[in-house]
């Protein structure tokens, strides 16, 4: 018999829920506030907590977090008011199994409860395996069918076998990290370590000691010897992520290491030679930084031995649907959802968007869609792209002129057209998405000579 806790501040609804769940054979307790819920969960280990999101002082999200902090295996289902999808998504991100939208029928409640309990059972069963293997059915893989991406793959395979330094460039989310890891996995060093140095997050003052290590007593706070990351990577690969963020002050230290392959821990008077393959990545334009005087030219040449530029997603549109499909399968399995495919319209929406955040943004949009979709097919209404349909203004394409830029009015016109297309000409919906009044929309339609009716399906 599963132990359930119902958290609902409306007494009548709470009672209905408790009765329905008890009849289904569960041991159910009900409480009317978040405070009580948290107190109970300190005393009893529940299999499942069903909580309303909107409660008094302590809300459902806090109940969720409290429950998960106490025992991550307790499943949580949240009940949300109609229309508050955002809070449901937030709850799922914070670890809720699923949500039910109010008002719900007893059957809907029982259904989600069954699935949550099944999930809990499976989780306990497979924990042992999961701990050992990350996701054996789905090792990371580079997906992409476009010619441009196939060319990247060819280069990755070819360069993996060499020991030369590679500089991976590309906008954020284009897959620089993943590519660096693939290179390592295809290289003769595949079984050796892959050490990541995020140059954006190491404070300048600590860089030398982090990278090259220090001896006990070398400076105040150095209470014992510490191996640097460059030495940890000996025999393997050192990944210098966000290398464009490296402060000028420490660039010479990195340069020296790249030139000599030697490191000297702070406080040690002898250098050590290490054998590491270096891969660096950045989304910055290092050449521009050189002219600005914020990146050393000699360091650039040391890093840029083999340059690998990853194209933004909008320049390889054919990759969007295959990537989205891969993410769909992965998230459906991970989240225990039944989503299997995208509708034709959903594929069109995905393909039409400019993806300023590239593959990472696509991954997030698909994750959210998988959370929200109820059936096997994902439809456009499950796809939330905050700036969807914004016309691509050609940023990042390297063009220096302004010839391809458009006026604010043109931008507005295109935005209105795009939204109308999405909502099939429904002016009320369009006005609400654009966050303007219906009369303002009407005026703008006239101004731009747009016929909303022509978008009706
Ligand atoms: N070609 C690809 N195939 C599959 N997944 C990809 C691909 N490119 C990027 N990703 C995924 O997209 C996300 C962002 O990629 P990442 O390598 O972190 O980008 P970057 O380092 O360029 O910002 C990661 O989850 C990564 O696994
Ligand atoms: Mg990255």
């Amino acid at each position: 018999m599963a132990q359930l806790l119902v958290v609902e501040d409306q007494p009548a609804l709470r009672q209905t829920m408790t009765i329905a769940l008890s009849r289904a054979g569960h041991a159910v307790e009900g409480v009317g506030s978040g405070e009580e819920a948290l107190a109970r969960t300190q005393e009893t280990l529940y299999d499942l907590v069903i909580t309303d999101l909107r409660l008094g002082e302590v809300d459902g999200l806090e109940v969720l977090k409290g429950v998960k902090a106490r025992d991550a295996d307790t499943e949580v289902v949240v009940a949300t008011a109609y229309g508050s999808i955002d809070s449901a998504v937030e709850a799922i991100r914070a670890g809720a199994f699923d949500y039910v939208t109010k008002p719900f029928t007893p059957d809907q409640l029982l259904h989600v409860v069954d699935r949550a309990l099944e999930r809990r059972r499976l989780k306990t069963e497979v924990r042992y395996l999961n701990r050992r293997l990350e996701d054996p059915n789905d090792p990371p893989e580079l997906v992409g069918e476009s010619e441009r991406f196939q060319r990247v793959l060819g280069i990755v395979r070819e360069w993996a076998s060499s020991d030369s330094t590679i500089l991976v460039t590309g906008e954020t989310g284009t897959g620089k990290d993943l590519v660096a890891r693939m290179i390592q996995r295809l290289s003769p060093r595949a079984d050796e370590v892959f050490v990541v140095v995020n140059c954006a997050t190491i404070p300048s003052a600590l860089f030398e000691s982090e990278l090259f290590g220090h001896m006990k007593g070398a400076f105040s706070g150095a209470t014992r010897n510490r191996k640097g990351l460059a030495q940890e990577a000996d025999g393997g690969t050192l990944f210098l992520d966000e290398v464009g963020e490296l402060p000028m002050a420490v660039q010479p230290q990195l340069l020296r290491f790249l030139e000599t392959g030697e490191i000297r821990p702070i406080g040690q008077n002898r250098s050590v030679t290490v054998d590491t393959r270096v891969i660096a990545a950045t989304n910055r334009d290092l050449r521009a930084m050189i002219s600005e005087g914020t990146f050393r030219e000699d360091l650039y040449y040391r890093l840029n031995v083999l340059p690998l530029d990853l194209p933004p997603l909008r320049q390889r549109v054919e990759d969007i649907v295959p990537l989205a499909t891969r993410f769909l399968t992965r998230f459906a399995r991970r989240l225990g959802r039944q989503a299997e495919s995208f509708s034709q319209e959903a594929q069109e929406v995905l393909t039409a968007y400019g993806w300023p955040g590239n593959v990472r943004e696509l991954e997030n949009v698909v994750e959210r869609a998988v959370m929200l979709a109820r059936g096997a097919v994902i439809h456009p209404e499950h796809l939330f792209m905050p700036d969807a349909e914004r016309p691509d203004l050609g940023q990042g394409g390297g063009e220096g002129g302004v010839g391809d830029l458009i006026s604010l009015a043109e931008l507005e016109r295109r935005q209105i057209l795009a939204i109308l297309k999405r909502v099939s000409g429904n002016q009320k919906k369009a006005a609400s998405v654009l966050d303007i009044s219906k009369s303002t929309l009407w005026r703008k339609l006239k101004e731009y000579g747009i016929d909303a009716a022509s978008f009706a399906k």
Side-chain angles (χ1 to χ4, degrees), residues 173 176-177 239 241-242 360:
K176 298 183 293 294
D177 246 81
F239 179 45
D241 201 6
E242 319 260 11
R360 180 176 296 113

Side-chain angles (χ1 to χ4, degrees), residues 392-448:
D392 182 42
L393 299 182
Q395 74 277 63
E399 53 282 282
V402 295
D404 53 345
L405 297 184
I406 57 172
S407 70
L408 200 53
E410 174 62 15
L411 180 63
E412 184 174 79
R413 192 184 68 87
R414 290 193 197 175
Q415 177 75 355
I416 292 173
L417 284 172
I419 302 282
L420 281 172
K421 195 169 150 210
R422 244 326 248 294
V423 300
S424 308
N426 182 325
Q427 292 190 40
K428 194 169 157 205
K429 273 195 198 159
S432 132
V433 173
L434 290 161
D435 199 18
I436 57 179
S437 70
K438 262 176 79 183
S439 59
T440 307
L441 177 63
W442 183 81
R443 196 166 40 75
K444 289 185 185 294
L445 292 177
K446 250 184 88 173
E447 187 181 327
Y448 296 128

Side-chain angles (χ1 to χ4, degrees), residues 61-102:
L61 212 53
E62 281 173 67
V63 171
L64 163 67
K65 287 176 185 159
V67 168
K68 286 288 174 183
R70 172 100 166 85
D71 178 10
D73 281 350
T74 302
E75 295 293 351
V76 177
V77 167
V78 298
T80 60
Y82 176 76
S84 55
I85 285 301
D86 273 331
S87 52
V89 169
E90 196 186 345
I92 291 173
R93 276 205 202 285
F97 169 72
D98 205 350
Y99 68 96
V100 280
T101 309
K102 286 179 168 184

Side-chain angles (χ1 to χ4, degrees), residues 83-129:
S84 55
I85 285 301
D86 273 331
S87 52
V89 169
E90 196 186 345
I92 291 173
R93 276 205 202 285
F97 169 72
D98 205 350
Y99 68 96
V100 280
T101 309
K102 286 179 168 184
F104 46 81
T105 65
D107 273 351
Q108 284 169 327
L109 177 66
L110 291 175
H111 183 63
V112 69
V113 163
D114 279 350
R115 282 175 40 239
L117 291 173
E118 171 68 8
R119 158 93 155 196
R120 175 174 155 87
R121 199 178 57 72
L122 287 176
K123 217 156 67 176
T124 324
E125 270 180 22
V126 300
R127 161 138 1 93
Y128 171 71
L129 286 173

